[in-house]
């Protein structure tokens, strides 16, 4: 219906462990964070028109938009991706504001896609929404990204991390101990080459799967049967990372934060040495954070190639560092009047 006042919000996310596993049918433990994108406005008309407090130019997208990647300004491509995938019957006029830093690996684009889809009146189940927004992301960016970011933004729960099984797309909530500090620190390095290098990694993993079969629940030694040394390293990361995710979830549930932190450090090493998505700047930042008393773990988070590091610490250990984030509830929408 037109004339309704709509407010939709969707959080960013941080991934505690399990990177480059989602498109391999693996496992990860992300959480939605208390940095979010909010879309407010009114449904109606034949275009989606949004102004953003963070962008000089508005997004203005016709409902029949054909090619999201050709849309300008660039931030409007994510809206265009949602419109192209959703084909809503009515347009929208309003505003978007966001506290999720852009280009940091905290899923500002997923937060935008999910909040826009809800503002436009998405009807359906959460998994359908996540899939729609994942397709929007892929069309807008040209990057064959997985579904972790959208799923987390939608299904997040305050005080909890999510254990996501990407083979079955099932999500289990895991309570975070209160005496834990989770901090995201930006490396200052923009995520250069993230798109093409991400696509390369995904292709490597798919080639490894074509040779070995699904990488889930396999002994690490299976990776060694691959003849190509690059694929061997990629498979070793994915197999090892899935095992670390399970151990991490267990450690967190038992409140064994030292063990959880040590697994994050192993994850970073694997992303650096076997998956080759770290950078010297990220490595140095991880090392610096780990050197501080009371810091239990640190690792790059998200795709890598720059962006952010996530660290786990005892209360106060990370004072003065980055964004202190808290697990938050997933996306919501409210509609008034009409
Ligand atoms: C990006 C993608 C996700 C996931 C991570 C790496 O954030 O959007 O789907 O693949 O990288 O874990």
């Amino acid at each position: 219906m037109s004339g309704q006042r709509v407010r939709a919000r969707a959080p960013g996310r941080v991934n505690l462990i399990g990177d480059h596993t989602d498109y391999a049918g693996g496992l990860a433990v992300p959480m939605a964070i208390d940095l979010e994108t909010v879309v407010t406005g009114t449904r109606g008309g034949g275009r989606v028109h949004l102004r953003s407090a963070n962008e000089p130019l508005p997004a203005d997208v016709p409902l029949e938009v054909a090619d999201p990647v050709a849309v300008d300004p660039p931030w409007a491509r994510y809206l265009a991706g949602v419109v192209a995938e959703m084909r809503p019957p009515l347009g929208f006029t309003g505003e978007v504001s966001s506290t999720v830093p852009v280009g940091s690996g905290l899923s500002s684009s997923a937060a935008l896609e999910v909040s826009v889809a809800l503002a436009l009146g998405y009807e359906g189940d959460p998994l359908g929404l996540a899939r729609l927004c994942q397709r929007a992301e892929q069309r807008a960016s040209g990057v064959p990204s997985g579904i972790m970011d959208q799923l987390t933004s939608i299904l997040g729960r305050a005080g909890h991390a999510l254990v996501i099984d990407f083979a079955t797309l099932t999500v289990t909530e895991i309570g975070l101990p209160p005496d834990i500090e989770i901090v995201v620190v930006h490396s200052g390095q923009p995520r250069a080459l993230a798109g093409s290098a991400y696509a390369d990694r995904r292709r490597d993993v798919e080639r490894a799967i074509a040779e070995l079969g699904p990488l889930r629940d396999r002994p690490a030694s299976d990776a060694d049967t691959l003849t190509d040394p690059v694929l061997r390293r990629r498979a070793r990361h994915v197999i090892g990372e899935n095992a670390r995710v399970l151990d991490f979830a267990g450690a967190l549930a038992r409140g064994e934060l030292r063990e959880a932190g040590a697994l994050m450090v192993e994850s970073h090493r694997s992303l650096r040495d076997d998956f080759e998505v770290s950078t010297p700047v990220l490595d140095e930042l991880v090392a610096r954070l780990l050197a501080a008393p009371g810091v239990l773990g640190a690792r790059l988070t998200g795709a890598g190639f720059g962006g952010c590091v996530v660290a786990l610490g005892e209360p106060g250990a990370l004072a003065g560092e980055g964004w202190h984030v808290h697990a938050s509830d997933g996306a919501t929408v409210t509609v008034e009047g009409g």
Side-chain angles (χ1 to χ4, degrees):
M1 256 191 290
S2 120
Q4 293 172 322
R5 186 84 197 148
V6 178
R7 181 182 194 276
R9 54 161 284 281
R13 66 99 186 91
V14 66
N15 191 21
L16 299 178
I17 195 164
D19 271 312
H20 292 278
T21 51
D22 61 348
Y23 53 78
L27 297 154
V29 186
M31 65 183 217
I33 57 177
D34 46 350
L35 298 171
E36 63 180 22
T37 298
V38 179
V39 174
T40 52
T42 316
R43 290 182 190 147
R47 306 181 75 83
V48 178
H49 184 94
L50 284 180
R51 300 198 153 272
S52 164
N54 306 329
E55 298 284 343
L57 294 174
D60 186 63
V61 175
L63 290 182
E64 57 283 358
V65 61
D67 184 12
V69 106
V71 167
D72 271 317
W75 76 275
R77 291 174 194 162
Y78 297 98
L79 260 80
V82 171
V83 171
E85 284 298 325
M86 190 172 155
R87 295 292 175 212
L90 290 175
F92 191 91
T93 303
E95 277 161 24
V96 51
S97 64
S98 183
T99 52
V100 190
V102 172
S104 310
L106 295 179
S107 299
S108 58
S109 54
L112 180 60
E113 291 141 18
V114 172
S115 53
V116 165
L118 290 174
L120 292 177
Y122 170 82
E123 281 175 6
D125 65 1
L127 187 54
L129 175 59
R131 286 198 164 113
L132 184 152
C133 292
Q134 179 195 16
R135 291 195 302 271
E137 168 95 28
Q138 293 184 345
R139 283 180 74 170
S141 66
V143 178
S145 44
I147 200 170
M148 168 169 69
D149 308 344
Q150 292 80 9
L151 216 45
T152 308
S153 180
I154 294 163
L155 293 177
R157 174 139 173 252
H160 294 71
L162 308 178
V163 183
I164 306 184
D165 182 333
F166 295 100
T168 53
L169 292 176
T170 46
V171 176
T172 320
E173 294 168 352
I174 174 165
L176 290 168
D179 53 343
I180 198 176
E181 197 158 278
I182 298 170
V183 176
V184 181
V185 186
H186 200 293
S187 64
Q189 195 178 28
R191 288 181 306 156
L193 292 179
S196 57
Y198 183 98
D200 290 348
R201 294 303 180 282
R202 182 164 183 164
R203 208 190 39 235
D204 289 347
V205 169
E206 278 160 5
R207 284 171 58 205
I209 291 173
E211 278 196 46
L212 284 180
L215 298 179
R216 265 295 282 287
D217 306 322
R218 299 188 83 110
S221 56
D222 276 19
D224 298 333
T225 63
L226 290 165
T227 43
D228 181 328
V230 173
L231 297 195
R232 215 182 296 147
R233 291 204 296 278
R234 305 294 186 251
R236 194 157 59 206
H237 166 72
V238 173
I239 293 173
E241 190 79 346
N242 286 334
R244 281 187 288 276
V245 165
L246 291 175
D247 291 346
F248 180 88
L252 214 53
R254 293 191 305 275
E256 290 178 12
L257 300 182
R258 274 183 192 285
E259 187 187 333
L263 288 159
M264 291 171 75
V265 176
E266 273 182 46
S267 166
H268 183 80
R269 282 201 198 108
S270 176
L271 287 161
R272 182 190 65 194
D273 300 338
D274 282 338
F275 217 68
E276 296 173 285
V277 295
S278 190
T279 65
V281 176
L282 287 169
D283 297 342
E284 244 173 68
L285 177 56
V286 166
R288 179 176 77 70
L289 293 170
L290 286 173
V295 175
L296 305 173
R299 60 185 286 281
L300 73 84
T301 182
F305 314 105
C308 284
V309 161
V310 61
L312 189 73
E314 290 166 355
L318 289 150
E321 298 283 358
W323 295 280
H324 289 236
V325 293
H326 302 93
S328 82
D329 282 329
T332 49
V333 60
T334 51
V335 183
E336 286 163 18

